[in-house]
Amino acid sequence: MKSIIRFIPLILFVLLGALLYRGLFLNPQAMPSAMIGKPLPDFELPRLKATEQMLGRDDLKGDIVLLNVWATWCIQCKYEHPYLLDIIADPRIKLYGLNFTDDRNAALRWLKQYQDPYVFSIFDEQGALGLDIGVFGAPETFVIDHTGIIRKRFAGPINDKVWQKEFLPLIDTISAEIAQGAS
Amino acid sequence: MSYAAIDFNTTKLQQLIRLLVSTLLLITFWLSNANASPVDTFEFKDEATKLRFQVLSKELRCPKCQNQNLADSNSKIAVDLRKNLYNLLQEGKSDQEIIDFMVYRYGDFVLYRPPLKKQTYVLWFGPLVILLGFLGSVIFVLRKRGKAKENELSLSTGEQESLDDILNKK
């Protein structure tokens, strides 16, 4: 009995150490989105390149829709941009942009200068849709499946590694679901 | 003479340390004062709404910043959410409706007061369990110590007899 008591401080220390050690490798920025599993909310916002055209949820066509939140004030979006041009080579996905609380002229210049990877970009000047899907910064990328349900929210820039690890498995899963539903 | 010299040195050193500490304290207070909350120019419809805005913006956590509430943060999202909070209040939404609105979009993370549910039991009851554990072990140890003392003080019958013998001899 006495020998067990003697070891209690050591045991507590080891437990606390293990807890804190694990904490060193957790990413506090990685926050699960509250929107996963919920349908994409409807919206009515202009198209960035032609503001007289109003867009809604039904305009995001495609079985697997990627909605990429971007802005010219966002430095990491610039880093991400070339990778976006790469990923649209995948025929299974359609990439749409959500230009988030941005200056329209600057955004148009950006697309001209760096090429436009998006089918189209939604111009969300007030951040209304951004708020509705829980955006808290840029870049962020949402994956919406064929039934209109948000399956994933990724905060941070996409690169090859992220694409392989975070997106491709999910896209495979959804593709399999689509194939199953069709047969 | 040498004693006096040492004395002089220590007081000099003490004075220096005191000066250093007070300067540091002063700087700390001054800096924390300078770090005031951002000010928005919102016109509220009445005093009660203004008060509710202040309470809610302190209760709601900025989703982007790790540990700041909406009132304290100057990040883009916090500014936007404050504006949104203002709009919701002006529309006459209740506190609960506003909190539900935020939680629907950003999850429980935005609440500084987490709701009581299965995942948060540890958070809510953990400290109580730890406190009870410590109290329990303190009582346990104290009791044991008391018993050990009693055993030390009381003599065995053999010891008592020999003690009586010694006393009676006198």
Side-chain angles (χ1 to χ4, degrees):
Chain A
M1 188 64 201
K2 226 173 191 173
S3 57
I4 296 175
I5 287 179
R6 203 168 287 166
F7 281 108
I8 282 179
L10 181 70
I11 292 166
L12 285 179
F13 172 77
V14 169
L15 285 178
L16 189 68
L19 187 77
L20 295 179
Y21 185 76
R22 202 180 112 76
L24 284 179
F25 301 100
L26 292 180
N27 179 9
Q29 298 283 350
M31 220 175 53
S33 170
M35 293 304 293
I36 287 168
K38 291 177 187 164
L40 181 75
D42 206 0
F43 56 91
E44 206 191 339
L45 288 166
R47 186 179 179 138
L48 177 67
K49 280 186 174 170
T51 43
E52 68 282 353
Q53 188 190 342
M54 293 307 271
L55 300 163
R57 179 167 56 182
D58 296 334
D59 291 310
L60 300 178
K61 293 188 176 74
D63 277 341
I64 304 176
V65 166
L66 264 67
L67 186 62
N68 178 250
V69 182
W70 67 282
T72 53
W73 46 259
C74 148
I75 298 150
Q76 289 194 309
C77 296
K78 203 176 270 186
Y79 163 81
E80 179 186 58
H81 200 85
Y83 296 104
L84 295 181
L85 292 166
D86 283 347
I87 64 169
I88 52 172
D90 193 325
R92 294 174 294 179
I93 60 149
K94 287 270 180 289
L95 178 69
Y96 295 87
L98 176 63
N99 183 244
F100 185 58
T101 59
D102 205 357
D103 175 61
R104 182 164 175 260
N105 287 326
L108 288 174
R109 255 202 315 277
W110 170 295
L111 290 181
K112 214 175 216 172
Q113 199 174 342
Y114 301 120
Q115 287 184 280
D116 185 354
Y118 310 107
V119 180
F120 59 71
S121 277
I122 304 158
F123 182 46
D124 190 4
E125 195 173 13
Q126 302 298 321
L129 177 59
L131 178 83
D132 270 347
I133 55 178
V135 168
F136 63 65
E140 277 186 31
T141 307
F142 290 81
V143 180
I144 301 144
D145 71 7
H146 52 296
T147 58
I149 301 288
I150 297 174
R151 296 288 288 265
K152 182 179 183 63
R153 197 279 308 264
F154 181 80
I158 291 176
N159 56 31
D160 279 338
K161 214 169 132 196
V162 166
W163 179 250
Q164 298 282 345
K165 201 175 142 219
E166 300 274 345
F167 286 91
L168 273 185
L170 179 63
I171 288 167
D172 289 341
T173 312
I174 300 175
S175 299
E177 282 169 25
I178 294 169
Q180 220 169 32
S183 64
Chain B
M1 195 58 221
S2 62
Y3 281 117
I6 289 167
D7 251 309
F8 175 75
N9 276 340
T10 28
T11 41
K12 207 47 190 232
L13 192 70
Q14 273 172 348
Q15 269 178 351
L16 203 73
I17 287 172
R18 230 171 264 166
L19 191 73
L20 197 73
V21 168
S22 50
T23 321
L24 277 177
L25 277 176
L26 204 70
I27 289 172
T28 316
F29 284 125
W30 180 65
L31 279 182
S32 54
N33 260 340
N35 184 17
S37 308
V39 181
D40 299 306
T41 44
F42 289 133
E43 294 271 337
F44 293 94
K45 56 183 177 187
D46 51 40
E47 201 58 25
T49 316
K50 188 177 166 185
L51 222 80
R52 280 173 61 210
F53 177 85
Q54 284 165 353
V55 171
L56 279 170
S57 62
K58 279 194 183 114
E59 285 261 309
L60 290 169
R61 183 170 169 184
C62 158
K64 178 83 182 170
C65 359
Q66 291 295 308
N67 212 354
Q68 264 185 318
N69 55 29
L70 287 188
D72 275 342
S73 175
N74 228 343
S75 74
K76 196 169 162 53
I77 181 71
V79 175
D80 287 351
L81 284 181
R82 276 204 300 273
K83 205 159 72 189
N84 210 264
L85 176 62
Y86 169 76
N87 289 337
L88 289 170
L89 280 169
Q90 292 294 89
E91 282 167 24
K93 292 272 195 314
S94 75
D95 286 4
Q96 196 52 49
E97 278 172 319
I98 292 171
I99 285 173
D100 289 346
F101 175 93
M102 294 291 179
V103 169
Y104 183 85
R105 286 158 179 79
Y106 293 99
D108 287 337
F109 185 89
V110 291
L111 301 177
Y112 259 124
R113 211 178 315 181
L116 186 61
K117 49 183 180 180
K118 247 189 203 153
Q119 294 104 299
T120 58
Y121 279 168
V122 175
L123 210 59
W124 279 98
F125 301 119
L128 193 72
V129 169
I130 291 171
L131 183 72
L132 287 178
F134 270 108
L135 279 181
S137 52
V138 165
I139 289 170
F140 179 76
V141 168
L142 283 182
R143 271 205 178 156
K144 224 180 153 193
R145 206 176 274 173
K147 255 184 204 158
K149 235 174 211 167
E150 254 171 45
N151 286 340
E152 250 171 47
L153 288 177
S154 60
L155 301 170
S156 65
T157 30
E159 283 171 334
Q160 190 63 49
E161 270 171 17
S162 50
L163 180 65
D164 285 345
D165 276 350
I166 296 165
L167 288 172
N168 289 337
K169 262 181 197 165
K170 273 196 171 174

